[in-house]
Amino acid sequence: MNFEIQKRALSRVIRDDLDALIVFCPQNTEQAPDAQDPLSLVLRQALAKGDLTPKAGSVLSLYGLAGVKSRHVVLVSTEDQTCAHIRTAVVAAWAALKAAKPKHLGMHTVGEWTAQRLQTAASALADGSYSYTATLSKPQHRTLQQVTFSAADVAAEHRAAMVQTQAVVSGVELAKEWANRPANHATPTHLAEAAKAIAKGRSFKCDILGPKEVAKLGMGSFLAVAQGAAEPLRFIVMRYSGTSSAQAPVVLVGKGITFDTGGISMKPAPEMDEMKYDMSGAASVLGVFKALGQLRPAINVVGLIPATENMPDGMAVKPGDVVTSMSGQTIEILNTDAEGRLVLCDALTYAERFKPQAVIDIATLTGACVIALGGVRSGLFTSDEALAQHLQQAGESSGDLCWRMPMDEAYAEGLKTRFADVANVAGRAAGSVTAAKFLQRFAQKYPWAHLDIAGTAWKSGAAKGATGRPVGLLLHYLLAKASLPVSSRRRA
Ligand code: BES
Ligand code: MN
Ligand code: ZN
């Protein structure tokens, strides 16, 4: 899907060759254009007669209006034009239009575009028109191909926002696509191939490590999770260089459990299929790299993905087993279903070699985070104030929200054990925080943050599907960094 933006009055847009046109309308006639073209007249009348209410998402569908080239026109209210209302408006307008299967859609605002509004509208549209295709024998491919945004006034910053939005949307869609794939179509080997494909021609470096190399590195914790799986593990290392190699990189670590049965501490059957989404963190890293390749910002980024299935088997790791992580710390695996932290801890140790300015791990880590924050905000865990602030800001500006959780040392109490340096689980209380405290032990050598996306990476029920989060948040964080002068980029 392609996005563009053009400077055009509504009276001019009606002559454009579009299959459908959505017009974001103002709340009253005073704010409406006073032109005499047929669409402006209808718009003013609809507002004056109260046939288009000012409530966000209120729609009026028009068809075959004389003097308007686009057969389908949907007038929609955006209320005060906040991002939440823009989203509501796009969802409502698209619901009225999607049956018409437009190929080329116009999206005109009578008000003003801002970078944030453009991104919100484009993302909502991409979301609404996305359809999963990978494993269908007769896939319904998206018909919408071109979206032309317009307004009477369009500046250079809007064009720049459009370019950025295009990349964010393609990153989000790649993340969705991979997260949605069933586990037999998204094995660790498949993920590694996807990483290679993204790197190809984009001058990324991409190294794929297998069981032998991982054993040689001493990743005893990662290996313990993988030892029950017949599918071989992969450790994916992607490197994007957008600036001098003297500049310390940001490292992104994505949990890549391609299926989480729980292992010997097996999960109950209901909804277990959703554990195909347990590689959503990995998918978000792939999505970010796809977008970096398009935008080529002046920043260095490393992506690390420890990928494996978590399976029960004669060879599988058992509750009570003690393993030695790459850091040298021994871990008592009391629950084999707390496997995410076991693969991530070795990746966090591996990250040290890049002397990173910051490391962010992204993981569908705990059911407890779903209970705490639901599907609205991802959990943000860090002791680094600057990093916390930057990630929260990126969440707000992208609309891909997060919420900071506590990291008091007292939460680590339950991880103590007589039989190893640390246990992989504490009690049920504050489960998302104790998981973060476990990871923190392995992230002492750089500023570090952890995003628990267990609640935000996918939707359950009738709307089951990946969301592509937190690709938007991560890209906003990285792009904000790239636009800072080099001197202030040193820390977080
Ligand atoms: N992948 C799950 C977390 C999860 C569960 C995400 C449900 C989304 C929905 C993770 O590997 C896991 O099983 N965590 C356990 C940890 C527990 C054993 C301490 C959990 O949350 O139950
Ligand atoms: Mn698990
Ligand atoms: Zn898991």
Side-chain angles (χ1 to χ4, degrees):
M1 200 175 22
N2 201 48
F3 298 109
E4 60 177 349
I5 184 160
Q6 289 178 342
K7 181 177 151 98
R8 271 170 170 28
L10 186 57
S11 55
R12 171 67 184 77
V13 172
I14 60 172
R15 290 190 271 128
D16 285 344
D17 199 5
L18 301 163
D19 301 314
L21 171 64
I22 296 173
V23 182
F24 285 7
C25 298
Q27 288 175 289
N28 52 52
T29 43
E30 287 93 80
Q31 296 164 345
D34 64 359
Q36 294 303 310
D37 64 274
L39 193 50
S40 300
L41 286 169
V42 170
L43 168 56
R44 285 203 300 280
Q45 194 183 15
L47 287 168
K49 301 263 189 214
D51 290 322
L52 182 67
T53 72
K55 196 173 154 47
S58 155
V59 298
L60 193 59
S61 294
L62 313 171
Y63 182 81
L65 206 62
V68 179
K69 213 159 173 193
S70 170
R71 275 205 317 282
H72 299 271
V73 177
V74 172
L75 304 179
V76 62
S77 295
T78 51
E79 220 167 310
D80 50 4
Q81 300 189 73
T82 56
C83 286
H85 287 148
I86 297 264
R87 182 166 283 277
T88 308
V90 172
V91 170
W94 181 248
L97 268 182
K98 67 175 174 219
K101 293 196 172 27
K103 284 198 196 84
H104 188 179
L105 173 70
M107 183 97 91
H108 181 85
T109 184
V110 169
E112 273 172 35
W113 286 119
T114 63
Q116 228 176 359
R117 286 174 191 160
L118 283 168
Q119 194 177 316
T120 306
S123 302
L125 196 61
D127 238 15
S129 60
Y130 170 84
S131 64
Y132 171 80
T133 57
T135 47
L136 297 171
S137 68
K138 295 182 187 68
Q140 293 272 312
H141 289 285
R142 166 189 270 149
T143 43
L144 186 59
Q145 274 157 23
Q146 181 76 13
V147 185
T148 306
F149 290 85
S150 62
D153 217 352
V154 164
E157 71 189 79
H158 299 127
R159 294 182 200 281
M162 209 72 263
V163 173
Q164 186 178 315
T165 294
Q166 177 89 55
V168 171
V169 167
S170 73
V172 165
E173 298 218 325
L174 184 105
K176 269 190 196 174
E177 189 60 30
W178 276 100
N180 276 332
R181 283 186 197 218
N184 64 330
H185 291 261
T187 62
T189 308
H190 291 139
L191 288 188
E193 282 161 9
K196 282 258 186 230
I198 294 163
K200 206 173 165 204
R202 293 278 182 193
S203 67
F204 292 159
K205 295 200 188 89
C206 180
D207 295 320
I208 309 297
L209 281 56
K212 275 195 198 122
E213 290 96 335
V214 165
K216 208 167 158 204
L217 285 164
M219 294 184 165
S221 185
F222 180 16
L223 281 169
V225 176
Q227 77 190 39
E231 265 313 319
L233 70 79
R234 290 290 181 265
F235 188 64
I236 304 168
V237 182
M238 301 177 85
R239 272 175 290 177
Y240 164 75
S241 308
T243 185
S244 146
S245 57
Q247 196 63 48
V250 172
V251 178
L252 304 177
V253 183
K255 172 178 173 182
I257 299 296
T258 58
F259 196 80
D260 182 11
T261 64
I264 298 298
S265 314
M266 202 186 279
K267 290 183 179 297
E271 280 107 52
M272 205 211 268
D273 65 288
E274 294 191 3
M275 284 300 118
K276 71 174 182 178
Y277 290 115
D278 214 16
M279 37 59 77
S280 298
S284 77
V285 174
L286 295 179
V288 166
F289 271 76
K290 169 102 194 267
L292 290 175
Q294 291 179 5
L295 290 171
R296 305 210 69 81
I299 183 177
N300 296 329
V301 187
V302 175
L304 302 177
I305 298 174
T308 178
E309 294 180 338
N310 183 24
M311 298 292 283
D313 178 77
M315 293 292 286
V317 71
K318 302 168 291 298
D321 282 3
V322 173
V323 298
T324 304
S325 66
M326 185 179 176
S327 72
Q329 297 179 72
T330 60
I331 304 167
E332 186 185 22
I333 301 177
L334 287 172
N335 190 320
T336 65
D337 197 12
E339 85 297 338
R341 61 198 80 181
L342 296 174
V343 304
L344 290 170
C345 70
D346 280 340
L348 288 171
T349 303
Y350 186 87
E352 288 171 8
R353 68 184 54 202
F354 300 103
K355 302 193 170 38
Q357 55 166 311
V359 177
I360 302 160
D361 77 69
I362 309 105
T364 48
L365 204 64
T366 65
C369 195
V370 189
I371 303 299
L373 298 174
V376 181
R377 288 177 188 258
S378 305
L380 167 64
F381 303 79
T382 180
S383 299
D384 190 291
E385 292 303 319
L387 194 47
Q389 215 195 332
H390 293 160
L391 287 167
Q392 282 172 311
Q393 260 166 21
E396 299 299 323
S397 72
S398 60
D400 187 351
L401 304 168
C402 62
W403 192 258
R404 192 167 177 194
M405 300 285 278
M407 285 293 276
D408 305 87
E409 214 34 56
Y411 284 109
E413 210 48 39
L415 294 170
K416 288 189 178 149
T417 167
R418 285 170 63 194
F419 303 104
D421 299 343
V422 65
N424 79 325
V425 292
R428 269 165 48 85
S432 68
V433 189
T434 57
K437 290 307 285 184
F438 176 91
L439 292 176
Q440 192 177 39
R441 297 174 60 100
F442 302 86
Q444 295 295 311
K445 305 226 166 107
Y446 41 68
W448 162 81
H450 156 61
L451 287 166
D452 193 333
I453 58 167
T456 53
W458 77 90
K459 290 180 180 154
S460 305
K464 194 194 278 186
T467 60
R469 291 176 68 182
V471 170
L473 182 156
L474 294 168
L475 282 170
H476 275 239
Y477 166 77
L478 293 171
L479 294 174
K481 225 166 229 313
S483 63
L484 290 177
V486 173
S487 57
S488 56
R489 253 189 255 157
R490 224 161 275 139
R491 255 190 75 90

